Amino acid sequence: MDDVTQFVIRHSSLLLFAAVFAEQVGLPIPAVPVLLAVGALAGAGQMSLGMAVGLAVAACLAGDFIWYYLGRYRGRHVLNLLCRISLEPDSCIRRTETFFGRHGMWSLVLSNFIPGLGTVTPALAGLFGVSVERFLLYNSLGAFFWTVTYITPGYLFSDQLEQIAAQAAHFGGSLVALILSALALYIAYKYFRRHLLLRKLRIARITADELKQMMDNGHEMMIVDLRQPLDIQADPYTIPGALQMAMEELEQRHHEIPRDRDVVLYCACPNEATAARMALLLKKNGITRVRPLAGGVEAWRERNFPLQKLGEQAA
Protein backbone atom coordinates (compact mmCIF):
# COMPACT_ATOMS: atom_id res chain seq x y z
CA MET A 1 0.00 0.00 0.00
CA ASP A 2 1.56 3.33 -1.08
CA ASP A 3 2.14 6.31 1.18
CA VAL A 4 -0.67 8.39 -0.35
CA THR A 5 -3.25 5.67 0.26
CA GLN A 6 -2.03 5.17 3.82
CA PHE A 7 -2.26 8.90 4.44
CA VAL A 8 -5.83 9.04 3.10
CA ILE A 9 -6.91 6.09 5.24
CA ARG A 10 -5.22 7.44 8.35
CA HIS A 11 -6.71 10.91 7.99
CA SER A 12 -9.93 10.04 6.17
CA SER A 13 -12.20 11.62 8.79
CA LEU A 14 -10.33 14.92 8.76
CA LEU A 15 -10.10 14.99 4.96
CA LEU A 16 -13.81 14.27 4.63
CA PHE A 17 -14.88 17.00 7.04
CA ALA A 18 -12.45 19.54 5.56
CA ALA A 19 -13.45 18.88 1.94
CA VAL A 20 -17.20 19.08 2.56
CA PHE A 21 -16.88 22.13 4.79
CA ALA A 22 -14.65 23.89 2.25
CA GLU A 23 -17.13 23.32 -0.58
CA GLN A 24 -20.06 24.51 1.53
CA VAL A 25 -18.37 27.78 2.44
CA GLY A 26 -17.68 28.46 -1.22
CA LEU A 27 -14.10 27.37 -1.81
CA PRO A 28 -13.47 25.79 -5.23
CA ILE A 29 -12.73 22.38 -3.70
CA PRO A 30 -14.95 19.55 -4.98
CA ALA A 31 -16.20 17.30 -2.19
CA VAL A 32 -17.82 14.63 -4.38
CA PRO A 33 -14.57 12.72 -5.13
CA VAL A 34 -13.84 12.65 -1.40
CA LEU A 35 -17.33 11.34 -0.64
CA LEU A 36 -16.88 8.58 -3.22
CA ALA A 37 -13.47 7.68 -1.80
CA VAL A 38 -14.77 7.58 1.76
CA GLY A 39 -17.66 5.41 0.63
CA ALA A 40 -15.15 3.02 -0.90
CA LEU A 41 -13.17 2.96 2.35
CA ALA A 42 -16.35 2.15 4.24
CA GLY A 43 -17.14 -0.62 1.76
CA ALA A 44 -13.67 -2.07 2.30
CA GLY A 45 -14.09 -1.99 6.07
CA GLN A 46 -11.52 0.77 6.54
CA MET A 47 -14.04 3.26 7.96
CA SER A 48 -17.44 3.20 9.61
CA LEU A 49 -20.22 4.02 7.13
CA GLY A 50 -22.29 5.71 9.83
CA MET A 51 -19.34 7.84 10.91
CA ALA A 52 -18.66 8.86 7.31
CA VAL A 53 -22.25 9.97 6.76
CA GLY A 54 -22.38 11.73 10.12
CA LEU A 55 -19.14 13.64 9.54
CA ALA A 56 -20.19 14.76 6.07
CA VAL A 57 -23.60 15.92 7.28
CA ALA A 58 -22.01 17.77 10.21
CA ALA A 59 -19.53 19.51 7.90
CA CYS A 60 -22.31 20.45 5.51
CA LEU A 61 -24.44 21.88 8.32
CA ALA A 62 -21.49 23.79 9.78
CA GLY A 63 -20.65 25.48 6.48
CA ASP A 64 -24.27 26.23 5.62
CA PHE A 65 -25.04 27.61 9.07
CA ILE A 66 -22.24 30.17 8.73
CA TRP A 67 -23.89 31.59 5.60
CA TYR A 68 -27.35 31.35 7.19
CA TYR A 69 -26.16 33.30 10.22
CA LEU A 70 -24.45 35.94 8.09
CA GLY A 71 -27.50 36.26 5.87
CA ARG A 72 -29.77 36.65 8.89
CA TYR A 73 -27.68 39.24 10.70
CA ARG A 74 -25.72 40.91 7.91
CA GLY A 75 -28.45 40.80 5.29
CA ARG A 76 -27.85 42.12 1.81
CA HIS A 77 -24.17 42.85 2.53
CA VAL A 78 -23.49 39.10 2.58
CA LEU A 79 -25.19 38.58 -0.78
CA ASN A 80 -23.21 41.50 -2.17
CA LEU A 81 -20.03 39.76 -1.03
CA LEU A 82 -21.10 36.50 -2.67
CA CYS A 83 -21.90 38.36 -5.85
CA ARG A 84 -18.52 40.07 -5.91
CA ILE A 85 -16.55 36.86 -5.49
CA SER A 86 -18.79 34.73 -7.69
CA LEU A 87 -17.29 33.25 -10.85
CA GLU A 88 -20.62 34.02 -12.56
CA PRO A 89 -21.49 37.55 -11.43
CA ASP A 90 -24.55 37.92 -13.64
CA SER A 91 -26.43 34.98 -12.18
CA CYS A 92 -24.94 34.28 -8.75
CA ILE A 93 -27.82 35.74 -6.77
CA ARG A 94 -30.59 36.09 -9.35
CA ARG A 95 -30.63 32.40 -10.28
CA THR A 96 -30.67 31.32 -6.63
CA GLU A 97 -33.44 33.77 -5.74
CA THR A 98 -35.56 32.45 -8.61
CA PHE A 99 -34.95 28.90 -7.42
CA PHE A 100 -35.72 29.82 -3.80
CA GLY A 101 -38.90 31.62 -4.80
CA ARG A 102 -40.09 28.62 -6.82
CA HIS A 103 -39.28 25.86 -4.34
CA GLY A 104 -39.36 27.63 -0.98
CA MET A 105 -37.87 25.63 1.89
CA TRP A 106 -37.29 22.63 -0.35
CA SER A 107 -34.57 24.64 -2.07
CA LEU A 108 -32.45 23.90 1.02
CA VAL A 109 -32.87 20.20 0.27
CA LEU A 110 -32.17 20.48 -3.45
CA SER A 111 -29.59 23.26 -3.76
CA ASN A 112 -26.50 21.13 -3.07
CA PHE A 113 -27.25 19.12 -6.19
CA ILE A 114 -27.18 22.23 -8.41
CA PRO A 115 -23.80 23.91 -9.01
CA GLY A 116 -23.63 27.48 -7.78
CA LEU A 117 -26.69 27.33 -5.52
CA GLY A 118 -25.42 25.49 -2.45
CA THR A 119 -23.55 28.45 -0.95
CA VAL A 120 -26.07 31.20 -1.66
CA THR A 121 -29.27 29.40 -0.62
CA PRO A 122 -28.50 29.28 3.15
CA ALA A 123 -27.68 33.01 3.08
CA LEU A 124 -31.01 33.70 1.37
CA ALA A 125 -32.82 31.63 3.99
CA GLY A 126 -31.27 33.79 6.69
CA LEU A 127 -32.00 37.01 4.81
CA PHE A 128 -35.68 36.14 4.39
CA GLY A 129 -36.13 35.36 8.07
CA VAL A 130 -36.41 31.56 8.01
CA SER A 131 -36.36 30.37 11.62
CA VAL A 132 -33.35 28.46 12.90
CA GLU A 133 -35.49 25.39 13.57
CA ARG A 134 -36.92 25.25 10.03
CA PHE A 135 -33.53 25.96 8.51
CA LEU A 136 -31.85 23.14 10.43
CA LEU A 137 -34.67 20.72 9.61
CA TYR A 138 -34.62 21.23 5.84
CA ASN A 139 -30.88 21.78 5.64
CA SER A 140 -30.26 18.55 7.55
CA LEU A 141 -32.48 16.67 5.11
CA GLY A 142 -30.61 18.18 2.19
CA ALA A 143 -27.21 17.44 3.71
CA PHE A 144 -28.19 13.84 4.43
CA PHE A 145 -29.59 13.12 0.95
CA TRP A 146 -26.64 14.83 -0.74
CA THR A 147 -24.13 12.88 1.37
CA VAL A 148 -25.82 9.51 0.87
CA THR A 149 -26.16 10.13 -2.88
CA TYR A 150 -22.38 10.24 -3.31
CA ILE A 151 -21.17 7.97 -0.52
CA THR A 152 -23.44 5.09 -1.56
CA PRO A 153 -21.87 4.48 -5.02
CA GLY A 154 -18.43 4.42 -3.41
CA TYR A 155 -19.66 1.93 -0.83
CA LEU A 156 -21.37 -0.34 -3.38
CA PHE A 157 -18.51 -0.28 -5.88
CA SER A 158 -15.65 -0.23 -3.42
CA ASP A 159 -13.84 -3.13 -5.14
CA GLN A 160 -13.84 -1.40 -8.50
CA LEU A 161 -12.78 1.92 -6.99
CA GLU A 162 -10.01 0.16 -5.09
CA GLN A 163 -8.69 -1.22 -8.37
CA ILE A 164 -8.79 2.24 -9.90
CA ALA A 165 -6.97 3.63 -6.88
CA ALA A 166 -4.33 0.92 -7.19
CA GLN A 167 -3.77 1.82 -10.83
CA ALA A 168 -3.63 5.52 -9.96
CA ALA A 169 -1.09 4.83 -7.23
CA HIS A 170 1.46 3.86 -9.89
CA PHE A 171 1.46 7.47 -11.06
CA GLY A 172 2.09 8.76 -7.53
CA GLY A 173 2.71 12.49 -7.30
CA SER A 174 2.28 12.94 -11.05
CA LEU A 175 -1.42 12.12 -10.80
CA VAL A 176 -1.89 14.51 -7.88
CA ALA A 177 -0.14 17.24 -9.85
CA LEU A 178 -2.34 16.51 -12.86
CA ILE A 179 -5.53 16.75 -10.79
CA LEU A 180 -4.41 19.99 -9.14
CA SER A 181 -3.44 21.42 -12.53
CA ALA A 182 -6.84 20.53 -13.97
CA LEU A 183 -8.55 22.22 -11.01
CA ALA A 184 -6.40 25.32 -11.42
CA LEU A 185 -7.18 25.46 -15.15
CA TYR A 186 -10.90 25.17 -14.43
CA ILE A 187 -10.79 28.05 -11.94
CA ALA A 188 -8.71 30.13 -14.36
CA TYR A 189 -11.21 29.43 -17.14
CA LYS A 190 -14.14 30.52 -14.97
CA TYR A 191 -12.36 33.72 -13.95
CA PHE A 192 -11.49 34.39 -17.59
CA ARG A 193 -15.15 34.04 -18.52
CA ARG A 194 -16.03 36.37 -15.65
CA HIS A 195 -13.52 38.93 -16.93
CA LEU A 196 -14.94 38.72 -20.45
CA LEU A 197 -18.48 39.16 -19.16
CA LEU A 198 -17.62 42.18 -17.04
CA ARG A 199 -15.67 43.65 -19.94
CA LYS A 200 -18.65 43.13 -22.23
CA LEU A 201 -20.89 44.86 -19.72
CA ARG A 202 -18.72 47.95 -19.50
CA ILE A 203 -21.06 50.83 -20.07
CA ALA A 204 -21.24 54.36 -18.71
CA ARG A 205 -22.80 54.41 -15.24
CA ILE A 206 -24.62 57.17 -13.43
CA THR A 207 -23.70 57.75 -9.80
CA ALA A 208 -26.18 58.17 -6.97
CA ASP A 209 -25.12 61.81 -6.58
CA GLU A 210 -25.69 62.52 -10.27
CA LEU A 211 -29.10 60.86 -10.20
CA LYS A 212 -30.15 62.79 -7.09
CA GLN A 213 -29.09 66.09 -8.66
CA MET A 214 -31.06 65.34 -11.82
CA MET A 215 -34.13 64.49 -9.75
CA ASP A 216 -33.77 67.67 -7.68
CA ASN A 217 -33.53 69.71 -10.88
CA GLY A 218 -36.78 68.21 -12.14
CA HIS A 219 -35.06 66.40 -14.99
CA GLU A 220 -37.56 64.23 -16.85
CA MET A 221 -36.45 60.62 -16.65
CA MET A 222 -37.55 57.06 -16.06
CA ILE A 223 -36.08 54.95 -13.25
CA VAL A 224 -36.53 51.17 -13.43
CA ASP A 225 -36.08 48.87 -10.44
CA LEU A 226 -34.90 45.51 -11.84
CA ARG A 227 -34.73 43.65 -8.53
CA GLN A 228 -36.29 40.23 -8.18
CA PRO A 229 -39.51 39.82 -6.12
CA LEU A 230 -37.60 38.20 -3.26
CA ASP A 231 -35.18 41.14 -3.18
CA ILE A 232 -38.11 43.52 -2.87
CA GLN A 233 -39.73 41.34 -0.22
CA ALA A 234 -36.56 41.53 1.87
CA ASP A 235 -36.07 45.24 1.20
CA PRO A 236 -39.43 46.85 0.29
CA TYR A 237 -37.94 50.28 -0.37
CA THR A 238 -37.19 51.81 -3.72
CA ILE A 239 -35.92 55.05 -5.20
CA PRO A 240 -38.87 57.47 -5.32
CA GLY A 241 -40.81 57.17 -8.55
CA ALA A 242 -39.05 54.01 -9.73
CA LEU A 243 -40.99 51.49 -11.79
CA GLN A 244 -40.73 47.86 -10.67
CA MET A 245 -39.97 45.62 -13.63
CA ALA A 246 -37.99 42.38 -13.33
CA MET A 247 -35.35 41.61 -15.93
CA GLU A 248 -37.46 39.01 -17.72
CA GLU A 249 -40.37 41.44 -17.85
CA LEU A 250 -38.22 44.22 -19.26
CA GLU A 251 -37.01 41.93 -22.04
CA GLN A 252 -40.63 41.54 -23.16
CA ARG A 253 -41.81 45.12 -22.52
CA HIS A 254 -38.82 47.16 -23.64
CA HIS A 255 -41.01 48.80 -26.31
CA GLU A 256 -42.84 50.61 -23.47
CA ILE A 257 -39.67 52.44 -22.41
CA PRO A 258 -39.71 56.04 -23.71
CA ARG A 259 -37.05 57.06 -26.21
CA ASP A 260 -37.15 60.78 -25.48
CA ARG A 261 -35.75 60.85 -21.95
CA ASP A 262 -33.00 59.47 -19.75
CA VAL A 263 -33.54 55.97 -18.40
CA VAL A 264 -31.79 54.73 -15.25
CA LEU A 265 -31.73 51.04 -14.36
CA TYR A 266 -30.71 49.53 -11.05
CA CYS A 267 -30.55 46.06 -9.53
CA ALA A 268 -29.46 44.44 -6.27
CA CYS A 269 -26.07 43.16 -7.43
CA PRO A 270 -23.18 45.52 -6.57
CA ASN A 271 -21.42 45.03 -9.90
CA GLU A 272 -24.62 46.10 -11.72
CA ALA A 273 -24.30 43.13 -14.07
CA THR A 274 -28.05 42.73 -14.55
CA ALA A 275 -28.64 46.47 -15.00
CA ALA A 276 -25.73 46.72 -17.44
CA ARG A 277 -26.98 43.75 -19.46
CA MET A 278 -30.44 45.29 -19.70
CA ALA A 279 -28.96 48.67 -20.63
CA LEU A 280 -27.14 47.05 -23.54
CA LEU A 281 -30.38 45.34 -24.58
CA LEU A 282 -32.25 48.66 -24.57
CA LYS A 283 -29.48 50.33 -26.56
CA LYS A 284 -29.78 47.64 -29.21
CA ASN A 285 -33.49 48.42 -29.38
CA GLY A 286 -32.97 52.13 -29.98
CA ILE A 287 -33.05 53.47 -26.42
CA THR A 288 -29.72 55.27 -26.32
CA ARG A 289 -30.12 57.44 -23.21
CA VAL A 290 -29.92 54.58 -20.72
CA ARG A 291 -27.43 54.02 -17.90
CA PRO A 292 -27.14 51.63 -14.94
CA LEU A 293 -26.97 53.13 -11.46
CA ALA A 294 -23.48 52.52 -10.08
CA GLY A 295 -23.77 50.49 -6.88
CA GLY A 296 -27.51 50.01 -7.26
CA VAL A 297 -29.96 50.89 -4.52
CA GLU A 298 -27.28 50.24 -1.87
CA ALA A 299 -25.22 53.14 -3.20
CA TRP A 300 -28.32 55.34 -3.02
CA ARG A 301 -28.99 54.22 0.56
CA GLU A 302 -25.38 54.78 1.63
CA ARG A 303 -25.71 58.42 0.58
CA ASN A 304 -28.77 58.72 2.87
CA PHE A 305 -30.93 59.76 -0.06
CA PRO A 306 -34.70 59.33 0.38
CA LEU A 307 -36.33 55.97 -0.24
CA GLN A 308 -39.96 55.25 -0.90
CA LYS A 309 -41.70 52.30 0.74
CA LEU A 310 -43.55 50.22 -1.79
CA GLY A 311 -47.26 50.91 -1.68
CA GLU A 312 -46.76 54.53 -0.66
CA GLN A 313 -47.10 57.46 -3.02
CA ALA A 314 -43.93 59.30 -3.97
CA ALA A 315 -43.64 62.71 -2.36
Side-chain angles (χ1 to χ4, degrees), residues 60-206:
C60 194
L61 288 175
D64 287 348
F65 192 80
I66 290 174
W67 287 116
Y68 168 80
Y69 180 87
L70 291 173
R72 188 176 180 91
Y73 294 103
R74 296 294 297 170
R76 177 58 58 178
H77 296 292
V78 175
L79 296 185
N80 290 347
L81 171 63
L82 287 170
C83 196
R84 284 192 176 97
I85 65 177
S86 171
L87 296 177
E88 298 180 7
D90 186 42
S91 60
C92 59
I93 305 299
R94 178 170 51 84
R95 188 161 63 105
T96 310
E97 287 180 338
T98 301
F99 186 80
F100 193 89
R102 183 177 301 147
H103 299 287
M105 295 301 299
W106 286 103
S107 61
L108 290 168
V109 179
L110 303 172
S111 60
N112 279 337
F113 294 95
I114 304 174
L117 269 61
T119 302
V120 183
T121 304
L124 281 178
L127 176 65
F128 297 133
V130 174
S131 67
V132 174
E133 294 79 12
R134 294 190 73 204
F135 171 78
L136 290 176
L137 172 62
Y138 284 91
N139 196 239
S140 297
L141 285 174
F144 176 77
F145 288 131
W146 177 72
T147 297
V148 170
T149 296
Y150 293 110
I151 281 185
T152 300
Y155 183 83
L156 295 177
F157 300 101
S158 59
D159 291 339
Q160 291 85 343
L161 290 175
E162 187 175 355
Q163 293 175 9
I164 294 173
Q167 292 294 326
H170 291 297
F171 296 95
S174 299
L175 181 62
V176 175
L178 179 63
I179 294 173
L180 292 177
S181 298
L183 179 61
L185 285 173
Y186 171 76
I187 296 173
Y189 167 72
K190 297 293 284 186
Y191 269 108
F192 179 69
R193 284 191 57 190
R194 171 192 170 95
H195 173 74
L196 289 181
L197 174 62
L198 294 179
R199 184 175 180 180
K200 177 182 177 182
L201 296 181
R202 283 179 185 169
I203 186 174
R205 263 69 165 169
I206 183 172

Side-chain angles (χ1 to χ4, degrees), residues 7 11 19 21 28 53 81 87 113 199 213 234 240 255 264:
F7 178 84
H11 302 285
F21 180 81
V53 173
L81 171 63
L87 296 177
F113 294 95
R199 184 175 180 180
Q213 184 176 3
H255 58 278
V264 177

